[in-house]
Amino acid sequence: MELPPALRAAVDRAVSGRRAADLAAAAAALSERYRQERRDGRLHVASDDDALAYLAVRLPATYAAVRASFAAINQARRDFAPKTALDIGAGPGTALWAAVDCWPALADAVLVEASPVFRACGEALARETSVPRVTWRTADVATDTVDDAIGDAPRDLVTLAYVLNELAPDVRPRLLRRLWQATADTLVIVEPGTPAGWQRIIAARAELIQAGACLVAPCPHACACPLAPPDWCHFAARVARSRLHRLAKAAELSWEDEKFSYLAVSRRPASAAAARVIARPRKGSGRVTLKLCRQDGSAGEQLFSRRDGEVFKRAWRSDWGTAL
Ligand SMILES: C[S@@+](CC[C@H](N)C(=O)[O-])C[C@H]1O[C@@H](n2cnc3c(N)ncnc32)[C@H](O)[C@@H]1O
């Protein structure tokens, strides 16, 4: 997946003039903080260098994961066309860009962010979007200041992308309740595709089902998750690496796979898929094995061969994350 051209150009402008070696050093330090899931009371992005490193190496990946999650919602809810959005822990405004790419009628977005440098960077990028009204608010979502920032009017689309992992575990349930209250239609949570990220997603899933939410994606059922450690539910989005991205990461490949876990719930029921492909398909001559999570709450591998006719053709065309 490529960044939208306007975002790509805005990112390139923001980082132009920075030495690749400085970006690479800041990117390495940032990646290390994310990898360790360090929660030491300091925001990971606290300086201009941190913010620019994020733009160069993380934004393309989080954009791809959020955009892929939105595509799954789009498939399950053809009638969903959000006009208003709320993004919590907006960072450089990644979810805003993905939302307007998926739903061009988006007209009014509120973005809440704690880091002043990230907010400034996101505000500059957001001036290039086609969304007519974008409002930024500074708030710490771990405190009551988030209530004022969220406001009273529920929003069609509420997003929390790559944020739960930065919050203390005891903050999460209250924040989720507040976000569900603020959701007029659909709430989307995206996390890194690690076992720890998935644990946060299934905890949120249980709380939101309890609150009456309808599952939109990825689960084709509201039964208990059939996966058990060491297995975990995650997906992959292929991200095109720009030259800058490769330089900042000292990487040679022109792409990378961003692993992510996500959950989309709504106040309205979605059309339930029969199953979702939850691992990369294994293809052989005339046969394909899919790992499926099914509508009846079960999960497991299923072999499809040419003898299955049309069903085989659909299985062959499917990919990791496809709803069947
Ligand atoms: C990994 S970044 C994700 C940014 C963006 N959502 C994305 O997907 O690219 C996590 C964001 O959450 C913000 N954040 C972390 N703790 C926060 C808090 N207590 N209150 C508000 N924002 C917070 C960080 O400053 C950062 O912008």
Side-chain angles (χ1 to χ4, degrees), residues 34 42-45 54 58-59 61-63 66 87-95 112-116 118-119 138-143 145-146 159-167 171 190:
Y34 285 133
R42 186 171 98 72
L43 290 167
H44 295 329
V45 173
Y54 192 94
R58 285 304 297 151
L59 176 128
T62 62
Y63 176 89
V66 175
D87 184 30
I88 298 290
T94 319
V112 179
E113 173 51 49
S115 157
F118 230 165
R119 173 180 166 167
T138 299
D140 179 346
V141 299
T143 68
T145 60
V146 72
T159 47
L160 184 70
Y162 289 83
V163 179
L164 279 182
N165 56 329
E166 297 193 15
L167 303 177
V171 169
V190 185

Side-chain angles (χ1 to χ4, degrees), residues 1 3-4 7 11 34 51 54-55 58-68 70 87-102 106 111-113 118 121-123 125-126 129 131 134 136 157 159-163 190 258:
M1 191 180 298
L3 291 181
L7 177 57
V11 166
Y34 285 133
Y54 192 94
L55 294 192
R58 285 304 297 151
L59 176 128
T62 62
Y63 176 89
V66 175
R67 185 65 184 81
F70 289 169
D87 184 30
I88 298 290
T94 319
L96 171 73
W97 284 91
V100 69
D101 190 59
C102 190
L106 186 70
L111 288 81
V112 179
E113 173 51 49
F118 230 165
C121 158
E123 276 182 307
L125 295 182
T129 70
V131 181
V134 180
W136 285 79
L157 174 70
T159 47
L160 184 70
Y162 289 83
V163 179
V190 185
E258 171 68 6

Side-chain angles (χ1 to χ4, degrees), residues 31-316:
S31 297
E32 193 51 27
R33 285 184 69 83
Y34 285 133
R35 217 179 343 264
Q36 292 179 1
E37 296 204 344
R38 204 178 293 166
R39 291 183 206 102
D40 52 11
R42 186 171 98 72
L43 290 167
H44 295 329
V45 173
S47 69
D48 284 344
D49 279 355
D50 296 338
L52 295 179
Y54 192 94
L55 294 192
V57 303
R58 285 304 297 151
L59 176 128
T62 62
Y63 176 89
V66 175
R67 185 65 184 81
S69 309
F70 289 169
I73 297 169
N74 218 8
Q75 195 188 4
R77 285 280 316 279
R78 296 277 181 211
D79 60 325
F80 182 54
K83 295 264 188 317
T84 58
L86 169 69
D87 184 30
I88 298 290
T94 319
L96 171 73
W97 284 91
V100 69
D101 190 59
C102 190
W103 297 292
L106 186 70
D108 182 340
V110 171
L111 288 81
V112 179
E113 173 51 49
S115 157
V117 282
F118 230 165
R119 173 180 166 167
C121 158
E123 276 182 307
L125 295 182
R127 281 184 211 114
E128 311 292 327
T129 70
S130 57
V131 181
R133 194 177 147 93
V134 180
T135 309
W136 285 79
R137 295 184 183 146
T138 299
D140 179 346
V141 299
T143 68
D144 291 345
T145 60
V146 72
D147 288 324
D148 284 344
I150 289 175
D152 294 328
R155 303 218 142 223
D156 300 337
L157 174 70
V158 176
T159 47
L160 184 70
Y162 289 83
V163 179
L164 279 182
N165 56 329
E166 297 193 15
L167 303 177
D170 59 341
V171 169
R172 295 175 200 149
R174 182 182 173 278
L175 178 62
L176 283 181
R177 278 196 299 278
R178 188 64 188 88
L179 293 187
W180 182 237
Q181 257 177 15
T183 303
D185 193 306
T186 295
L187 168 63
V188 189
I189 305 173
V190 185
E191 280 286 291
T194 58
W198 172 65
Q199 289 293 344
R200 289 186 285 267
I201 290 285
I202 52 171
R205 179 182 186 271
E207 283 160 33
L208 289 162
I209 290 173
Q210 180 81 23
C214 307
L215 286 171
V216 178
C219 323
H221 59 81
C223 311
C225 178
L227 301 188
D231 200 0
W232 75 101
C233 180
H234 63 295
F235 301 91
R238 184 146 293 186
V239 182
R241 281 181 176 147
S242 64
R243 184 175 159 275
L244 168 81
H245 191 159
R246 287 199 301 274
L247 282 174
K249 268 195 164 168
E252 298 208 335
L253 277 182
S254 60
W255 55 269
E256 67 187 25
D257 280 337
E258 171 68 6
K259 306 274 172 60
F260 65 101
S261 293
Y262 76 102
L263 178 73
V265 295
S266 173
R267 296 200 177 271
R268 288 166 191 75
S271 61
R276 187 172 302 271
V277 181
I278 56 168
R280 205 178 291 290
R282 291 204 317 274
K283 293 182 178 176
S285 145
R287 50 178 40 207
V288 53
T289 303
L290 299 182
K291 184 175 175 188
L292 297 174
C293 186
R294 306 184 190 91
Q295 208 175 47
D296 64 4
S298 67
E301 291 202 331
Q302 198 166 330
L303 175 71
F304 298 85
S305 68
R306 278 198 213 288
R307 278 200 302 274
D308 296 313
E310 264 314 303
V311 178
F312 167 73
K313 285 189 195 153
R314 255 180 284 144
W316 184 265

